Amino acid sequence: MLQLIIQIGTFLRPTYSANLACSISIMVYRTIGLMSGSSLDGLDIVFAEFQESAGSWNFEIRAADCYEYTDDWKERLQNATTLSALDYQLLHVDYGHYLGHEVNRFIDTNNLHYQVGLIASHGHTTFHVPSKKMTAQLGDGAAIAAQTKLPVVSDLRAMDLAFGGQGAPIVPIGEKLLLKDYSMFLNLGGIANISFNSPEGYIAFDVCPANRILNLIANIVNKDYDDGGQMAALGNLNEDLLNKLNSFEYYRLPYPKSLANNFGTDEVFPLFKSFGLPHNDLLRTYVEHIVQQIKLAIAKNPKLQTLNPKLLVTGGGAFNNFLIERLSEELSSISVEVVIPHQDLVKYKEALIMALIGVLRWRQEYNLLSSVTGAERDSIGGAVWIGQEA
């Protein structure tokens, strides 16, 4: 007869089911993940429950939301790289307290008191210079911990950079552990990044700037974004601009590789001014650029034939109907099917995986893959801040 023993805690719950023949242990972790993308849509917050047994992981998103930034916060985050060293550090601390305040609001709204055991915060990326082994994300972990009185894991990418990696993409570990039914993943966020989980190893890299540029074009006509890609669908494709966009040296580099936010804002977006095109034409042409670069990234992968020919697409760009329509049309020619999952996973996959990365750090297990980032070895990334009393 099976005997069940459960020890309940706010963070992890070991569960044992045993008889004379077997013993099974299930670890349960309840964690909040925070993600702020380069598109500045807002702060994504996920409360998830993870279950681990014998190396196999399952998850449930129990609450999720996106808290939009005020115009003031958008401006402060957008201009962070122009600040003096002192003002930057002050913003780092101020934003950390802001994150903590928003977590407390999320806990209050969803009645999660005494249920959250850990917070994992990606922060908001500002500087990213892998060649110098440096990356920086705003959002002081100590400030979050002090504000929430909970343990916090932050600075998730820094260890990988120290080992010579790109520190990006960071989500493949979560795809590998949580989404085993797929082997190809595309995230259409501020930057589009792609992952391939082949039997020979994990491959992932940043493809091109995506929503960040589309949103900047929409801003020209005082829109936050192109809703459903409706404006792009009305535009005309400009071949000269498309060829110019496709000519950037980054696209010829081998993986592993990653993009800083300023590649889009400082190198790509200024191109549009010299063409003097209507905003609809700019949007139409940039959508085509994104689609072509994604198709190229898949077609150039020599291991494609070993993979499940389904591409799981998440991120805000998955709601751009015109972009997804064009992507589906182009990828069908190489026998790849585009799959859009449940909207919670579309919107909050990155925040969900930040939560998992925090759990892996707490367990002192690898949470960044060197096969993806190019580091000399896998690493356990993240600084831990203990906000509760001893």
Side-chain angles (χ1 to χ4, degrees):
M1 182 174 179
L2 294 179
Q3 181 183 14
L4 185 66
I5 304 170
I6 301 177
Q7 175 185 337
I8 299 177
T10 59
F11 180 37
L12 60 86
R13 184 184 67 215
T15 303
Y16 303 98
S17 176
N19 58 19
L20 293 177
C22 67
S23 177
I24 301 172
S25 174
I26 300 176
M27 303 298 289
V28 179
Y29 300 88
R30 301 185 184 94
T31 310
I32 282 178
L34 306 178
M35 183 69 197
S36 175
S38 58
S39 58
L40 289 169
D41 294 336
L43 175 67
D44 289 340
I45 308 182
V46 163
F47 174 58
E49 178 172 298
F50 301 99
Q51 296 186 6
E52 183 273 335
S53 178
S56 180
W57 289 83
N58 291 296
F59 73 93
E60 178 188 357
I61 296 176
R62 295 179 54 180
D65 210 336
C66 178
Y67 290 166
E68 291 186 12
Y69 289 124
T70 63
D71 290 341
D72 177 60
W73 268 115
K74 280 186 181 179
E75 185 177 352
R76 294 179 73 184
L77 295 175
Q78 216 164 16
N79 297 328
T81 56
T82 67
L83 299 175
S84 68
L86 175 59
D87 287 339
Y88 180 90
Q89 286 301 116
L90 291 172
L91 176 60
H92 178 58
V93 172
D94 196 16
Y95 184 60
H97 283 285
Y98 166 82
L99 292 177
H101 177 270
E102 295 299 83
V103 168
N104 287 339
R105 173 159 74 107
F106 180 79
I107 289 172
D108 288 342
T109 300
N110 293 284
N111 195 25
L112 299 176
H113 303 282
Y114 307 110
Q115 296 185 57
V116 181
L118 182 72
I119 299 166
S121 175
H122 176 273
H124 188 84
T125 298
T126 49
F127 301 102
H128 184 66
V129 191
S131 61
K132 300 291 186 181
K133 299 186 177 182
M134 189 279 287
T135 189
Q137 285 76 41
L138 287 169
D140 180 24
I144 303 171
Q147 197 78 32
T148 61
K149 308 297 189 294
L150 289 167
V152 172
V153 178
S154 64
D155 300 315
L156 305 179
R157 299 179 188 264
M159 194 75 247
D160 184 81
L161 269 291
F163 279 119
Q166 295 280 319
I170 196 172
V171 298
I173 186 67
E175 295 166 344
K176 181 179 181 180
L177 296 179
L178 301 180
L179 302 169
K180 293 183 178 179
D181 290 340
Y182 295 88
S183 55
M184 290 193 292
F185 306 89
L186 175 68
N187 181 66
L188 288 171
I191 293 171
N193 47 65
I194 197 162
S195 308
F196 306 92
N197 186 10
S198 77
E200 298 176 17
Y202 221 100
I203 299 167
F205 52 91
D206 288 343
V207 177
C208 63
N211 294 347
R212 185 77 177 99
I213 299 299
L214 294 174
N215 292 352
L216 285 173
I217 299 171
N219 294 165
I220 294 172
V221 289
N222 298 316
K223 301 280 188 181
D224 289 334
Y225 59 96
D226 182 8
D227 189 9
Q230 296 177 62
M231 291 190 291
L234 297 173
N236 297 307
L237 179 64
N238 185 285
E239 293 286 352
D240 290 339
L241 174 57
L242 181 62
N243 291 335
K244 192 75 172 175
L245 289 166
N246 287 335
S247 69
F248 279 103
E249 182 184 359
Y250 176 81
Y251 302 128
R252 297 189 294 275
L253 297 176
Y255 57 80
K257 58 182 180 177
S258 61
L259 284 168
N261 292 336
N262 62 2
F263 176 76
T265 55
D266 298 351
E267 297 188 50
V268 176
F269 188 66
L271 269 181
F272 300 139
K273 293 181 181 178
S274 62
F275 281 82
L277 298 171
H279 68 278
N280 285 352
D281 292 358
L282 294 176
L283 287 164
R284 172 68 184 88
T285 303
Y286 201 76
V287 163
E288 198 66 22
H289 170 65
I290 295 170
V291 169
Q292 288 190 8
Q293 289 303 322
I294 292 168
K295 181 180 179 181
L296 189 63
I298 296 173
K300 284 172 62 177
N301 177 27
K303 301 183 180 67
L304 177 60
Q305 61 271 21
T306 68
L307 302 177
N308 180 336
K310 292 184 178 182
L311 178 69
L312 189 73
V313 181
T314 56
F319 296 109
N320 186 320
N321 298 329
F322 180 68
L323 172 56
I324 296 302
E325 178 185 313
R326 285 293 304 123
L327 186 63
S328 298
E329 290 171 355
E330 286 299 310
L331 293 189
S332 67
S333 68
I334 56 173
S335 302
V336 173
E337 178 187 354
V338 171
V339 177
I340 309 295
H342 187 276
Q343 69 170 5
D344 275 356
L345 191 57
V346 171
K347 292 161 65 175
Y348 301 115
K349 184 183 102 174
E350 289 194 309
L352 169 72
I353 292 177
M354 295 312 125
L356 175 68
I357 288 172
V359 170
L360 293 172
R361 170 62 184 88
W362 193 265
R363 286 164 58 101
Q364 298 186 48
E365 295 179 3
Y366 292 134
N367 56 10
L368 272 93
L369 303 173
S370 58
S371 65
V372 168
T373 67
E376 62 186 69
R377 67 169 176 83
D378 293 350
S379 61
I380 305 169
V384 177
W385 310 89
I386 305 300
Q388 70 273 39
E389 294 185 9

